[in-house]
Amino acid sequence: MTIQEYKSSNSKLRMSKIKLLNLKDKIDGNEMDLSLCNLTEVPVKDLAAFPKVTVLDLSCNNISSLPLEFCSLSHLVKIDISKNQLTVLPDDLGRLSNLHHLDLYNNKLTILPVSFSQLKNLKWLDLKDNPLEINLAKAAGDCLDEKQCKQCAVRVLQHMRILQDEVDKERERRLQKEKELEKKKEAKQRERETKEREARKREKAEEKERKRKEYNAHMAALAVQEQRNKRKEEKKRRNGQLAADKKAAVESASKGRRYSLIGLLWKLLFLLLLGLAGVVGVCQLAELNEETGCVPINSAVGNALSWVQEQEVDLRVRELVQEVDIRARELLQKLSSLAPQLLKSFSPTATMTDPVETVEN
């Protein structure tokens, strides 16, 4: 068993002995005397059961500290805890607001809690035979009689109030510093958030710009593709037009050739007819009608005219045939009148210098 465990077991044993004691036997009116009980701890819970007790005597024990719960015994007016082993008092000692008399003689205290300044009703204090801090010892002075003990209470309260003010100021400075640090922290946080917002804004702007460029590039590509398609369509149209023009030219040339051939054939037919008419005219009106070559021609023409006249056709047709016959005879007469000259021009005795008469219609 270690020393600490031994002390703890002894403390529990002593507390059990205290509980065995009848605290009521320790009460005399409003006073409770627990001196010389070899206590190391204060039975706070048991004391709280007697709120009418205002005077408590804990002197001549082995108490080294007071629990925090001791400060809740605010009904106490006088406390004697002299000749113990106290090294420190609880921080909330100022909660004993009704305390008038406090005897801390012959302990091991060096300082008092700052809350000691809140004991506004304290009128009597004894701090003799404690290893007090120098300034506190000067403030406490001697406490050899009633008057000095009362002055000790006043001076110590003043000293503790000064310390309290300093503590408050220090606390205020600390709080102010903490507030400033908090403000700086908040400012840095806001600055960081602002930078993050600006960064996000820039990222969004860059993303938007990138999308806009992609959109423009896409639209430009579509425009180029559309332009290419238009050029292809235009090329197809031009090729189609060229093909159509070529086809039309070929067709036109073919048609022209066809028309020129037909025209040539018509011209040849006309010349043939003209020649035939000339031959018929020569055979009918010239002195050559008795020639061997003209006899069958004259016979065929006569038979054709007779056949037409013999046919039973309309009067208008007959008139047309007669008109054609008359016009043909006139044409033949003209051709017969020109026949000698034509024959003469084509005779072997004719020269290139022989004049040719002008034909008058």
Side-chain angles (χ1 to χ4, degrees):
M1 181 180 294
T2 63
I3 297 174
Q4 186 175 0
E5 291 176 350
Y6 177 76
K7 289 182 178 180
S8 177
S9 61
N10 288 337
S11 175
K12 291 180 180 179
L13 181 61
R14 287 192 291 269
M15 289 299 299
S16 62
K17 289 181 179 180
I18 292 173
K19 291 181 180 179
L20 293 176
L21 295 176
N22 190 353
L23 292 181
K24 291 184 178 180
D25 295 338
K26 301 294 182 178
I27 297 174
D28 183 10
N30 63 339
E31 297 181 7
M32 180 179 289
D33 187 5
L34 295 178
S35 62
L36 300 173
C37 292
N38 200 23
L39 297 177
T40 57
E41 296 180 359
V42 179
V44 178
K45 293 182 179 180
D46 296 328
L47 294 175
F50 304 97
K52 293 183 179 181
V53 173
T54 59
V55 177
L56 177 62
D57 188 358
L58 293 170
S59 62
C60 300
N61 285 292
N62 293 315
I63 301 172
S64 59
S65 63
L66 298 176
L68 292 176
E69 293 79 5
F70 183 82
C71 300
S72 64
L73 302 176
S74 58
H75 57 279
L76 295 178
V77 174
K78 181 179 179 179
I79 299 175
D80 186 357
I81 197 171
S82 61
K83 298 180 182 180
N84 278 276
Q85 303 297 320
L86 291 176
T87 57
V88 65
L89 296 177
D91 291 336
D92 290 341
L93 190 67
R95 293 172 58 189
L96 299 175
S97 57
N98 292 318
L99 190 61
H100 284 243
H101 184 109
L102 178 59
D103 192 348
L104 295 172
Y105 168 72
N106 195 12
N107 278 280
K108 296 180 180 181
L109 298 172
T110 57
I111 60 173
L112 297 177
V114 179
S115 64
F116 197 93
S117 62
Q118 300 175 10
L119 300 176
K120 297 179 180 181
N121 292 321
L122 187 63
K123 305 299 182 182
W124 193 96
L125 177 62
D126 189 357
L127 289 172
K128 292 190 309 295
D129 293 339
N130 280 281
L132 298 176
E133 184 264 333
I134 296 175
N135 293 328
L136 180 58
K138 289 180 179 181
D142 295 328
C143 185
L144 300 176
D145 53 25
E146 188 74 12
K147 181 179 180 181
Q148 288 180 351
C149 291
K150 288 182 179 179
Q151 290 177 354
C152 176
V154 173
R155 289 193 301 268
V156 169
L157 286 177
Q158 290 177 351
H159 175 75
M160 296 308 299
R161 288 192 186 102
I162 293 173
L163 293 180
Q164 180 68 51
D165 292 339
E166 291 178 356
V167 170
D168 291 341
K169 289 179 181 179
E170 181 64 26
R171 185 186 298 111
E172 185 67 23
R173 285 193 296 269
R174 187 172 61 253
L175 292 175
Q176 186 66 25
K177 188 175 181 179
E178 290 177 356
K179 288 181 180 179
E180 291 177 356
L181 292 175
E182 186 66 25
K183 288 181 179 179
K184 290 181 179 179
K185 185 177 179 181
E186 291 177 356
K188 289 182 179 180
Q189 180 68 20
R190 287 194 298 269
E191 183 179 359
R192 184 167 57 253
E193 291 176 355
T194 302
K195 289 182 179 180
E196 291 177 355
R197 284 196 301 269
E198 291 177 355
R200 288 195 297 269
K201 188 175 180 181
R202 284 195 301 271
E203 290 177 358
K204 289 182 180 179
E206 291 174 357
E207 181 69 15
K208 186 176 181 180
E209 182 66 17
R210 184 183 64 80
K211 290 183 179 179
R212 186 183 66 80
K213 289 182 179 179
E214 290 179 355
Y215 174 78
N216 291 337
H218 179 67
M219 296 303 295
L222 291 178
V224 171
Q225 186 64 30
E226 186 177 358
Q227 190 67 23
R228 289 178 181 174
N229 293 335
K230 286 183 179 179
R231 285 199 295 268
K232 288 181 181 179
E233 293 294 330
E234 186 66 23
K235 187 175 180 180
K236 287 181 181 179
R237 283 198 299 270
R238 285 200 302 268
N239 292 336
Q241 187 65 33
L242 290 175
D245 293 343
K246 186 175 180 181
K247 184 177 180 182
V250 172
E251 291 178 353
S252 177
S254 177
K255 188 175 181 181
R257 287 195 298 271
R258 186 169 63 251
Y259 287 163
S260 61
L261 181 60
I262 293 172
L264 181 59
L265 292 175
W266 278 108
K267 288 179 181 179
L268 291 174
L269 182 61
F270 178 74
L271 292 175
L272 181 61
L273 291 175
L274 184 60
L276 182 60
V279 172
V280 172
V282 170
C283 291
Q284 288 285 331
L285 300 177
E287 290 85 358
L288 300 176
N289 55 2
E290 297 297 333
E291 295 292 332
T292 304
C294 292
V295 172
I297 294 172
N298 292 331
S299 178
V301 171
N303 292 332
L305 293 174
S306 298
W307 179 81
V308 171
Q309 291 177 357
E310 289 176 358
Q311 296 298 321
E312 293 182 358
V313 295
D314 189 74
L315 180 59
R316 291 182 179 179
V317 176
R318 290 183 179 182
E319 292 178 352
L320 180 59
V321 172
Q322 291 177 358
E323 182 68 23
V324 171
D325 182 50
I326 294 171
R327 297 296 180 186
R329 288 180 180 277
E330 291 178 354
L331 179 60
L332 291 173
Q333 289 176 0
K334 290 181 179 181
L335 291 175
S336 63
S337 63
L338 295 174
Q341 297 178 358
L342 293 172
L343 292 172
K344 186 178 179 180
S345 63
F346 287 102
S347 63
T349 59
T351 62
M352 294 297 293
T353 59
D354 291 337
V356 179
E357 295 182 358
T358 303
V359 179
E360 295 180 0
N361 291 327

